[in-house]
Amino acid sequence: MRRFIFALACVFILTGCVDDSDRLELDVPHFIVEGWIEDGGFPVVILSRSLPLSTDYQDIDSLSDYIVRWAKVTISDGTDSVVLTGKYDKGYFPPYIYTTSRIRGKAGKTYYLTAEYRDLRATAQTTVPAIPDNCSFRVERCAGSDTLFQIRARFKDNPAEKNYYQFFTRVGTSTKQYQASYLGSIDDEVLKGETDMTVYRGHQLSDKDYTPYFLADDTVSVKFAQVDATSFRIWDSYTKIQSLSSNMFFSTSSDIESNITGGYGYWCGYGTITDYIVVRDSIGLK
């Protein structure tokens, strides 16, 4: 079933990233790239191939064939280049990543990504912004509910700078992968000094009964990231389309932004603050 969810994700990304002039090429394989590098962190890249649109039956077990395991993935900071190592890692989904300990993200630097596999080649670049000023978190009970809780974030934007922010959440310890927080993309144009806002749970296709809130037994990791303008547009378009696509009364013709040349997806740099929250302890429950 998880492989099936992965296949749906690939189709969702692919069809959301193309305009009408490209739709005739949906039967041609494309790279799907998910990649990021944080200030002080190692790069992580997940590669797959897009699924061809077909009316023919396709066995679920064959969908793992679209995970790209033997690509050459190179990261460069403009001076040094490193070829990443591919490895199985069950903390991510799909459970195969490319990474290295030979290069760390550094605020202010631009990082170039090149992925090559057979006749596929994708490139991208991103900048790692500075870590944002301190952000504090607190847990509150949702009004009218004894079982749902919300996480509130308080931070201060520097009005002398143009900044973009993105919240990510991860629930539990069985995964290393963060999800973009629902409505968690922020342009500081809408901020005025100190800001207090709700951080919603990220939404996955595999969530059958999604709620943007948290439960008493949840252990939550929250990332507050400063991102560049391109990364902001990517995540802002993703969360907007995600929210509209779940509403049967509205539709959208907008595309999901991508900064990948020769493929679809994203390669993003983050300056992050990470906090770990045990909901039960934070709210004083026994």
Side-chain angles (χ1 to χ4, degrees):
M1 178 57 72
R2 297 189 70 191
R3 292 193 184 118
F4 179 64
I5 296 301
F6 161 62
L8 287 178
C10 289
V11 171
F12 172 71
I13 291 174
L14 178 57
T15 56
C17 288
V18 297
D19 57 29
D20 290 338
S21 63
D22 293 327
R23 292 189 187 280
L24 293 178
E25 299 182 2
L26 289 179
D27 59 340
V28 178
H30 296 275
F31 256 140
I32 304 296
V33 180
E34 297 178 75
W36 60 91
I37 183 169
E38 298 181 13
D39 181 41
F42 304 128
V44 175
V45 177
I46 301 173
L47 295 177
S48 56
R49 291 180 294 131
S50 58
L51 299 177
L53 296 184
S54 172
T55 58
D56 296 334
Y57 172 78
Q58 189 167 12
D59 188 87
I60 290 178
D61 290 335
S62 70
L63 298 180
S64 62
D65 295 338
Y66 291 89
I67 301 173
V68 178
R69 297 180 176 85
W70 304 107
K72 180 182 179 182
V73 182
T74 306
I75 302 295
S76 171
D77 62 3
T79 301
D80 299 319
S81 295
V82 177
V83 176
L84 308 191
T85 300
K87 67 174 185 176
Y88 173 80
D89 191 324
K90 66 179 181 179
Y92 295 91
F93 188 75
Y96 194 88
I97 67 170
Y98 295 86
T99 189
T100 183
S101 59
R102 295 174 56 196
I103 190 169
R104 289 180 181 268
K106 186 175 181 180
K109 281 194 170 186
T110 298
Y111 293 89
Y112 303 87
L113 166 72
T114 302
E116 300 167 289
Y117 177 73
R118 295 179 180 173
D119 57 345
L120 300 179
R121 188 175 190 272
T123 61
Q125 68 180 66
T126 190
T127 301
V128 176
I131 294 175
D133 291 336
N134 185 52
C135 182
S136 61
F137 300 94
R138 68 185 187 277
V139 177
E140 297 178 352
R141 191 185 300 272
C142 291
S145 176
D146 294 328
T147 59
L148 296 177
F149 302 86
Q150 61 181 354
I151 294 176
R152 301 284 296 180
R154 182 183 292 274
F155 64 96
K156 190 172 183 179
D157 175 67
N158 185 347
E161 300 175 353
K162 180 58 185 176
N163 297 314
Y164 302 91
Y165 305 100
Q166 177 66 48
F167 282 98
F168 298 90
T169 64
R170 185 186 71 190
V171 179
T173 57
S174 62
T175 179
K176 301 175 184 177
Q177 205 157 359
Y178 286 79
Q179 301 296 323
S181 175
Y182 176 63
L183 301 180
S185 306
I186 306 163
D187 182 338
D188 73 349
E189 186 175 304
V190 302
L191 303 180
K192 294 182 179 179
E194 192 167 56
T195 299
D196 193 298
M197 62 176 290
T198 301
V199 179
Y200 296 104
R201 180 196 293 263
H203 189 184
Q204 301 182 73
L205 288 173
S206 57
D207 292 334
K208 294 181 179 180
D209 300 309
Y210 172 72
T211 172
Y213 303 108
F214 301 92
L215 304 177
D217 292 325
D218 284 342
T219 298
V220 185
S221 178
V222 181
K223 281 186 183 290
F224 177 52
Q226 186 166 197
V227 299
D228 63 16
T230 299
S231 298
F232 166 77
R233 289 194 297 270
I234 291 170
W235 288 116
D236 186 51
S237 66
Y238 171 79
T239 55
K240 284 180 178 176
I241 289 176
Q242 188 180 57
S243 61
L244 288 174
S245 63
S246 63
N247 191 322
M248 64 181 293
F249 298 104
F250 293 92
S251 63
T252 176
S253 59
S254 300
D255 293 340
I256 297 178
E257 295 278 345
S258 173
N259 64 342
I260 307 297
T261 300
Y264 302 101
Y266 64 90
W267 165 241
C268 293
Y270 307 132
T272 61
I273 294 172
T274 304
D275 203 355
Y276 301 91
I277 300 165
V278 179
V279 173
R280 183 175 295 277
D281 293 346
S282 297
I283 208 70
L285 296 175
K286 295 183 179 179

